[in-house]
Amino acid sequence: MPGGGAVAASSGMAGGRKSSIVGIGMSCFAAFGGILFGYDTGVISGVKEMKFWLQTFGYPKNDGSGDYTISTPDESLIVSILSLGTFFGALLAAPMGDFLGRRFGVVGACLIFSAGVAMQTGATAVPLFVAGRVFAGLGVGMVSCLVPMYQAESSPKWIRGAVVSCYQWAITIGILLSGCVNQATKDRNDYSSFRIPIAIQFVWAGILAIGMFLLPESPRWLIKKHREEDAARALGRLLSAPPTDPDVRVEIEDIKANLRMEEEIGQSSYADCFKMGPNKVLLRTLTGIFLQAWQQLTGVNFIFYYGTTFFKNSGIANPFMITIATNVVNVVMTIPAFWAVDHIGRRRLLLIGAAGMLVCEYLIAIIGVTISVENQAGQKVLVAFVCIYIAFFASTWGPVAWVVTSEIFPLAIRAKGMSMSTASNWLWNFGIGYATPYMVNAEYGNLQARVFFVWGSTCLGCLVFTYFCIMETKGLSLEQIDILYQNTTPVKSVSYRDQLIAHNVHAADDEAIRKAAGGDSRFTNEKTSQASAQEKV
Ligand code: BGC
């Protein structure tokens, strides 16, 4: 078996801590893509309330006030069309990321995004503005898939969770930033009031594109393209070591051995993403798709998209300030996740987060239906629980959903799996955003605060889903995650993962895998049969 024994002895270069600082910095930089994501999704809510925007895209009210308004169909088209773009953008990310590479895929996405920003900045009528939102959405959708994938493929395993969590942190900062920029320009007495917050996105795209241009390509993508020497050079740059460094060579062998095994099992098309088999690709694909769906079903965007209105209807004195407060909680409480995701672990964090959100959401619903709008003390308690709920999301499901989907797919189908999972996130994002007013508003479902009973119940779904479907992957290399999937179940994954670490198991190291399985023949048989299949190549 090529590379087998040598690989087994390695701790994996990306696993070593001695010279990883540059690599960590580089993969953290890619998180800048999160600013695009957060800012672009957040900016429209403020922009569409601005006087000069309404004058440009709306029509005069017929109440003699001289104010302008926008028709409901135009408003809902402008707001929701972004999700259509992001959904298709996420799907497009797979061919882009596989063909151009993860790095140039992001650069391409920035160009498409900038075209969308240019259209929106220059638009003087609804159709061009809508077209601009579609293009910007395409770019954001691609970035939202390619950035965490690039980060996971390029960062050291012991800190991969924290690096991908930086991306979520950037999303939260982007949302907050959009609120601040809108606040700063909204009272300007000309068209710059809305054009500045839109055009500023050129800066985010420019920084991301130039940065990605300068960063090394993902070594794993280069191996997939059989560009071994380029991969060694890229890995060397990430680890501040020459491409000939023995540790670099060992890790390259590890990635190659794993890819060979995946190719032997035969998986690279979209149909292959839904196949059963020893590599449990079907489970992995469905886990990614449903994890992102459940992340949206926590109901978090109810607060970010609809919070101001909800707080206003609940009788809260300053709903705008409370919305900003929830944004700040979201930013600040993502920070503990940097540590927690690689120490407490993915699975435990998701379980804790789902349980915490569930309790908060039921309490919000109960308080909301029992207190009157005049009861200011009660409103403060309600706001406090909303903030605790956001804190639970920010420190668990926010980052961990992205961390898990960026690492569970085998290399051969990683771009496709990741892109379908991200598209699922955007589809549910759209569906929930679209359905919410109908569920909550008096003239339709009139759920008001009772809607939190719905979100509380979906968090119960999150809990059950995590327990049965999420593997513990903290501290494992992407190649070790393959071994984990091949040999255990989510419920038993915590102890099996500990064994993988304890026995320093690597791709194609059958002896170590046997030890990790602790003599469980069910585990060893699966692995050994794949190994012998590979032996025949
Ligand atoms: C979610 C977004 C959400 C954001 C809030 C992201 O992980 O995918 O839908 O708006 O977190 O911080």
Side-chain angles (χ1 to χ4, degrees):
M1 182 177 314
V7 168
S10 146
S11 66
M13 176 82 161
R17 297 177 189 217
K18 56 185 188 303
S19 52
S20 314
I21 297 302
V22 177
I24 295 170
M26 287 182 177
S27 31
C28 275
F29 172 83
F32 205 86
I35 302 270
L36 250 70
F37 178 154
Y39 189 96
D40 198 45
T41 48
V43 76
I44 193 68
S45 66
V47 158
K48 74 180 173 59
E49 302 301 326
M50 291 181 190
K51 189 170 129 203
F52 284 90
W53 187 86
L54 287 168
Q55 256 177 37
T56 310
F57 301 104
Y59 57 89
K61 282 185 180 171
N62 54 10
D63 59 0
S65 63
D67 291 342
Y68 282 70
T69 187
I70 183 127
S71 72
T72 305
D74 278 354
E75 181 184 6
S76 94
L77 179 68
I78 286 168
V79 173
S80 63
I81 202 79
L82 183 90
S83 312
L84 192 75
T86 50
F87 173 75
F88 286 108
L91 290 179
L92 231 125
M96 290 266 283
D98 271 345
F99 183 67
L100 293 178
R102 304 348 185 185
R103 196 167 62 112
F104 284 116
V106 174
V107 175
C110 288
L111 293 177
I112 297 174
F113 176 78
S114 300
V117 172
M119 288 181 205
Q120 290 174 75
T121 311
T124 50
V126 170
L128 187 60
F129 196 84
V130 167
R133 295 270 293 163
V134 173
F135 276 89
L138 281 172
V140 170
M142 285 178 208
V143 164
S144 65
C145 170
L146 292 172
V147 161
M149 188 162 62
Y150 172 82
Q151 290 183 304
E153 289 185 345
S154 308
S155 52
K157 62 182 178 183
W158 57 275
I159 199 173
R160 188 179 57 242
V163 169
V164 180
S165 299
C166 272
Y167 162 72
Q168 168 69 15
W169 196 41
I171 297 176
T172 64
I173 294 173
I175 298 175
L176 181 62
L177 215 57
S178 68
C180 296
V181 174
N182 280 342
Q183 186 68 24
T185 67
K186 73 177 183 359
D187 296 325
R188 291 175 74 95
N189 227 358
D190 55 26
Y191 294 95
S192 67
S193 54
F194 75 87
R195 291 206 164 112
I196 290 174
I198 293 172
I200 226 170
Q201 296 178 98
F202 284 123
V203 179
W204 316 145
I207 296 176
L208 182 63
I210 293 170
M212 291 305 290
F213 187 77
L214 298 174
L215 290 185
E217 181 50 271
S218 149
R220 288 175 168 88
W221 178 77
L222 290 165
I223 294 274
K224 196 175 169 215
K225 292 285 161 186
H226 307 290
R227 289 165 55 184
E228 203 177 303
E229 284 317 305
D230 290 339
R233 263 192 294 277
L235 196 57
R237 273 186 71 195
L238 287 165
L239 292 146
S240 315
T244 47
D245 184 282
D247 279 346
V248 172
R249 301 316 306 192
V250 163
E251 177 142 352
I252 294 287
E253 285 308 317
D254 208 14
I255 302 170
K256 271 170 59 190
N258 216 58
L259 183 66
R260 263 197 306 274
M261 192 172 69
E262 286 174 8
E263 285 173 347
E264 171 62 20
I265 298 169
Q267 20 168 265
S268 58
S269 68
Y270 277 99
D272 290 326
C273 298
F274 295 93
K275 278 193 181 144
M276 317 265 269
N279 227 359
K280 301 214 181 87
V281 184
L282 176 67
L283 172 68
R284 293 154 92 158
T285 304
L286 295 181
T287 301
I289 290 175
F290 281 100
L291 179 61
Q292 290 289 6
W294 284 116
Q295 191 220 38
Q296 292 299 307
L297 283 163
T298 58
V300 71
N301 283 325
F302 175 79
I303 298 296
F304 294 126
Y305 296 170
Y306 202 74
T308 314
T309 317
F310 171 72
F311 294 132
K312 200 161 96 193
N313 293 347
S314 311
I316 282 156
N318 193 341
F320 288 96
M321 282 313 292
I322 301 296
T323 306
I324 296 211
T326 57
N327 284 334
V328 173
V329 171
N330 194 27
V331 173
V332 174
M333 288 310 293
T334 306
I335 297 170
F338 295 156
W339 174 85
V341 70
D342 289 316
H343 290 85
I344 297 177
R346 287 56 160 158
R347 191 177 149 84
R348 282 198 196 114
L349 269 192
L350 289 176
L351 289 172
I352 295 168
M357 287 190 285
L358 184 155
V359 172
C360 290
E361 290 181 303
Y362 276 124
L363 286 173
I364 296 167
I366 293 166
I367 297 167
V369 296
T370 47
I371 61 169
S372 67
V373 285
E374 292 83 34
N375 183 344
Q376 281 300 309
Q379 303 300 346
K380 283 189 184 136
V381 178
L382 184 138
V383 169
F385 277 111
V386 168
C387 290
I388 300 173
Y389 155 61
I390 297 291
F392 269 113
F393 175 85
S395 52
T396 62
W397 277 75
V400 180
W402 295 104
V403 172
V404 171
T405 44
S406 70
E407 65 188 12
I408 56 170
F409 295 104
L411 180 55
I413 57 136
R414 186 167 298 137
K416 294 187 179 72
M418 178 77 190
S419 108
M420 285 189 283
S421 311
T422 310
S424 153
N425 177 296
W426 287 113
L427 190 66
W428 284 92
N429 186 321
F430 169 72
I432 292 171
Y434 190 83
T436 295
Y438 292 99
M439 286 160 74
V440 180
N441 289 352
E443 62 271 35
Y444 296 100
N446 197 20
L447 284 181
Q448 305 293 347
R450 281 179 303 237
V451 76
F452 280 95
F453 282 124
V454 176
W455 305 136
S457 309
T458 49
C459 277
L460 187 62
C462 293
L463 201 68
V464 174
F465 168 78
T466 304
Y467 185 80
F468 288 108
C469 299
I470 299 293
M471 295 269 194
E472 184 49 75
T473 47
K474 77 168 172 179
L476 298 177
S477 71
L478 298 181
E479 290 66 40
Q480 286 172 317
I481 291 174
D482 261 355
I483 300 172
L484 187 80
Y485 266 96
Q486 286 153 9
N487 296 298
T488 193
T489 60
V491 176
K492 291 182 181 160
S493 63
V494 175
S495 61
Y496 189 78
R497 173 241 166 232
D498 293 346
Q499 293 299 311
L500 284 179
I501 302 264
H503 294 283
N504 192 19
V505 177
H506 278 263
D509 179 6
D510 299 328
E511 184 50 35
I513 290 168
R514 251 188 294 279
K515 281 188 205 149
D520 186 332
S521 60
R522 193 169 49 87
F523 292 161
T524 48
N525 286 347
E526 278 179 17
K527 179 66 200 174
T528 312
S529 60
Q530 287 160 33
S532 48
Q534 190 183 339
E535 202 85 88
K536 290 183 199 129
V537 190

